[in-house]
Amino acid sequence: MYTQGLDARAEQGAPPSPRLVTEDEARLQGRFQERVDAEEKIEPRDWMPEGYRRTLVRQISQHAHSEIVGMLPEGNWVTRAPTLRRKVALLAKVQDEGGHGLYLYSAAETLGVSRDELVGQLLSGKAKYSSIFNYPTPTWADIGAIGWLVDGAAIMNQVPLCRCSYGPYARAMVRICREESFHQRQGYELMLALAQGTPEQKRMAQDALNRWWWPSLMMFGPSDDQSAHSAQNMAWKIKRFSNDELRQRFVDATVPQAEFLGLTIPDPELRFDAGTGHYEFGAIDWTEFNEILKGNGPCNRERIEARRKAWDDGAWVREAAVAHADKRRQRALKKAG
Amino acid sequence: MSTDLKDALFGYALRLGDTSLVLGHRLSEWCGHAPELEEDIALTNVALDLVGHARMLLTYAGELEGKGRDEDRLAYRRDVFDYRNHLLVEQPNRDFGHTIVRQFLHDACAVEMYERLCASKDETLAGIAAKAVKEVRYHVRHSGDWLVRLGDGTDVSHAKVADALGRLWTYTGEMFERDEAEQALVAAGIVPDPVELKAAWTARVEAVLEDATLDRPADGWMQKGGRRGEHSEHLGYLLAEMQFLPRAYPDATW
């Protein structure tokens, strides 16, 4: 799972450096843009502008990191799922996220960076991941809310990425979207069981909706007038729709689902505008969003610490695997020689 | 089937189901924390298979018992002294090496057992075994390969798995314990003979330990009690965590 609402400041912080463009490069760039405009897929060996490559490496690796960090808040409930069926479904879901991380790291590797390098950037705090995972999952209803809302928001963002101009990313997204849709239905079904359950379960579901609603809207990133790279990414067909367009689609799709559950969206200004056919919603508190980006979310420290601990605790295992592979190679050579 | 035999089969299915559930739960504790992404996915896969086996076995146990308990009633509403799992699988994860040794010692037994259970005269058990055996064959390869890698890896990894083997060996005797109820099932051609199982397990374990350059610990005193509900202190914490929601909200359905 992932969205574009990552570190807006980092995106603004790395503008392509202005430099002279040679005639050859201008011709290549022209040809590149023609291919993108004609909806041809760009493949790893094709020529591409440096900015395009950099943008993709950043976006795909942030997406991969988000999948990996995203395993933590949901993994938090794997040992406490209330039925064996729910336990299996949640384990499988978290496992899918690990799998998404794998395909995405592989897609990023086609652009000339190694997975170790990218993971190193995550662990050092240099690379970002989706802020949504810095919120905690204190109750079981959070597992439903994440599936329904967070995966739902992710799907809004990701379906257009299946048509992204970069072939390996687009193909990875096709598979990921299929699995995410399944997760979203599972999450909604979990919420439905709670909403139709005992008063305590319903309270649990409402509480989770209260906490996840606004962060889910923030997942689409800053408003269009604040979004730094949108125009270039649209021209490169990395991005197809603006943040605000996607956010609106999400609200329009989700409000009736909440009504069906009998839950209340925590926004007193929310109302349906019959003229436009869309829901109008209240202003987003970007202060909270920005604070989380700065590292002040409820779980920023724990998430990175958990990833570092897994990596550090596993060092001796990875070293042993390499040492054993070396020994086997040596023995095979000896036998052959 | 006679009532005695049915009771015995209930106990057997419960033991297998509890063992799969508790080990699956232990492995699921690794989810998101494994040494490598591929291994995170692999451990979760094994956990998923084991919980899947537990569901089939507990459902069947509930049917044999005939008191209306389904898989969740059995998993979530029994206390420690009603659990029948082997003591081996409730031991905590500690580190990855300890987890792998525990897994291999279990898998080597499970694969031999399910291979034979496929020919059980009890059709339901044979059906469950036919499904489980395909997965367990992969599990034993996975844990065995890792045991060899760690045993024959670095000095550090060798020392860690040698230590784990020393700690866990004392729990292996229980897997081949014989009691009257089980003897009746063996005689009826429903379950394999533990004597035969132990021989097959020993051969498998010794072959992998040799590749892993690890010494087989001596068969000293063996800890027993799982099949009578006498457990270590660890199981209570595992159940407290696992059963929290159904215990806290007894009237809820999820």
Side-chain angles (χ1 to χ4, degrees), chain B residues 36-67:
Chain B
E36 257 179 348
L37 195 45
E38 283 82 351
E39 196 45 35
D40 213 301
I41 293 172
L43 289 176
T44 307
N45 238 342
V46 179
L48 274 170
D49 290 343
L50 288 170
V51 179
H53 303 165
R55 294 183 66 187
M56 294 189 285
L57 289 160
L58 293 180
T59 299
Y60 186 41
E63 286 166 14
L64 287 165
E65 187 193 37
K67 290 184 185 166

Side-chain angles (χ1 to χ4, degrees), chain A residues 198-211:
Chain A
T198 64
E200 286 162 312
Q201 283 176 300
K202 189 165 180 185
R203 182 178 155 223
M204 199 186 272
Q206 181 63 53
D207 164 73
L209 173 58
N210 292 349
R211 285 181 290 110

Side-chain angles (χ1 to χ4, degrees), chain B residues 97-254:
Chain B
H98 191 266
T99 296
I100 286 296
V101 172
R102 184 186 65 201
Q103 192 65 34
F104 176 69
L105 294 175
H106 165 85
D107 289 342
C109 173
V111 73
E112 296 296 346
M113 183 194 60
Y114 282 122
E115 294 282 6
R116 287 165 178 76
L117 273 180
C118 289
S120 169
K121 291 211 171 128
D122 184 82
E123 268 178 38
T124 311
L125 203 52
I128 294 172
K131 187 172 181 303
V133 75
K134 292 183 205 134
E135 294 165 349
V136 175
R137 281 183 201 135
Y138 160 78
H139 299 173
V140 73
R141 215 174 70 201
H142 173 256
S143 57
D145 285 352
W146 266 112
L147 188 53
V148 170
R149 255 177 235 132
L150 298 175
D152 186 34
T154 62
D155 291 346
V156 172
S157 67
H158 182 91
K160 280 183 189 277
V161 286
D163 176 65
L165 196 60
R167 283 172 179 278
L168 292 170
W169 196 259
T170 187
Y171 299 109
T172 56
E174 188 190 32
M175 298 192 291
F176 311 105
E177 223 181 337
R178 301 165 71 176
D179 58 32
E180 235 175 81
E182 192 163 336
Q183 283 310 313
L185 292 170
V186 174
I190 293 174
V191 308
D193 187 345
V195 177
E196 194 191 316
L197 264 190
K198 186 172 183 184
W201 176 83
T202 305
R204 230 175 224 282
V205 169
E206 284 179 350
V208 170
L209 289 185
E210 192 184 331
D211 285 350
T213 71
L214 290 162
D215 295 327
R216 180 194 152 148
D219 284 335
W221 174 252
M222 290 290 171
Q223 302 291 336
K224 290 176 185 172
R227 68 170 67 193
R228 292 186 302 279
E230 293 164 15
H231 290 276
S232 65
E233 291 177 350
H234 304 296
L235 185 62
Y237 290 95
L238 184 150
L239 295 184
E241 189 170 340
M242 185 174 90
Q243 297 178 339
F244 152 65
L245 281 171
R247 297 280 196 192
Y249 302 93
D251 305 326
T253 49
W254 304 93

Side-chain angles (χ1 to χ4, degrees), chain A residues 132-306:
Chain A
I132 195 84
F133 299 121
N134 291 317
Y135 288 94
T137 52
T139 78
W140 171 247
D142 292 316
I143 299 308
I146 289 181
W148 172 37
L149 300 172
V150 176
D151 291 340
I155 291 166
M156 287 292 168
N157 272 319
Q158 290 175 352
V159 167
L161 286 174
C162 298
R163 293 189 294 130
C164 164
S165 58
Y166 188 57
Y169 192 26
R171 289 188 290 270
M173 290 318 301
V174 171
R175 189 161 165 189
I176 290 174
C177 282
R178 222 175 282 145
E179 295 180 353
E180 293 292 3
S181 306
F182 179 65
H183 297 165
Q184 201 225 359
R185 281 199 300 276
Q186 257 178 359
Y188 189 71
E189 191 260 328
L190 197 164
M191 287 302 266
L192 190 61
L194 296 177
Q196 294 177 342
T198 64
E200 286 162 312
Q201 283 176 300
K202 189 165 180 185
R203 182 178 155 223
M204 199 186 272
Q206 181 63 53
D207 164 73
L209 173 58
N210 292 349
R211 285 181 290 110
W212 290 96
W213 174 252
W214 290 106
S216 300
L217 295 193
M218 293 177 202
M219 285 174 69
F220 295 91
S223 296
D224 295 348
D225 52 357
Q226 301 288 316
S227 183
H229 279 238
S230 283
Q232 178 61 76
N233 288 349
M234 293 256 202
W236 278 334
K237 297 197 196 277
I238 294 174
K239 192 168 175 166
R240 299 265 175 178
F241 302 97
S242 78
N243 296 354
D244 286 334
E245 269 178 283
L246 291 169
R247 186 166 16 240
Q248 185 65 54
R249 275 191 205 181
F250 173 74
V251 172
D252 290 343
T254 309
V255 173
Q257 294 170 355
E259 283 168 1
F260 184 79
L261 292 174
L263 299 178
T264 309
I265 298 227
D267 177 358
E269 290 172 51
L270 185 76
R271 63 175 197 91
F272 187 68
D273 182 334
T276 61
H278 294 293
Y279 284 91
E280 282 184 11
F281 50 96
I284 293 173
D285 177 9
W286 292 107
T287 322
E288 178 181 314
F289 183 72
N290 289 324
E291 283 303 318
I292 293 177
L293 289 180
K294 277 191 238 162
N296 294 326
C299 299
N300 292 55
R301 282 185 189 81
E302 284 94 329
R303 299 292 183 240
I304 285 300
E305 272 167 16

Side-chain angles (χ1 to χ4, degrees), chain A residues 69-81 87 90-91 94 97 135-140 142-143 146 211-212 299 303, chain B residues 25 28-33 241 244-245:
Chain A
V69 176
M71 293 168 79
L72 297 170
E74 291 181 274
N76 183 38
W77 278 92
V78 159
T79 56
R80 292 177 291 166
K87 190 180 182 76
L90 181 57
L91 255 178
V94 180
E97 277 151 17
Y135 288 94
T137 52
T139 78
W140 171 247
D142 292 316
I143 299 308
I146 289 181
R211 285 181 290 110
W212 290 96
C299 299
R303 299 292 183 240
Chain B
H25 183 99
S28 78
E29 293 171 1
W30 274 102
C31 183
H33 307 281
E241 189 170 340
F244 152 65
L245 281 171

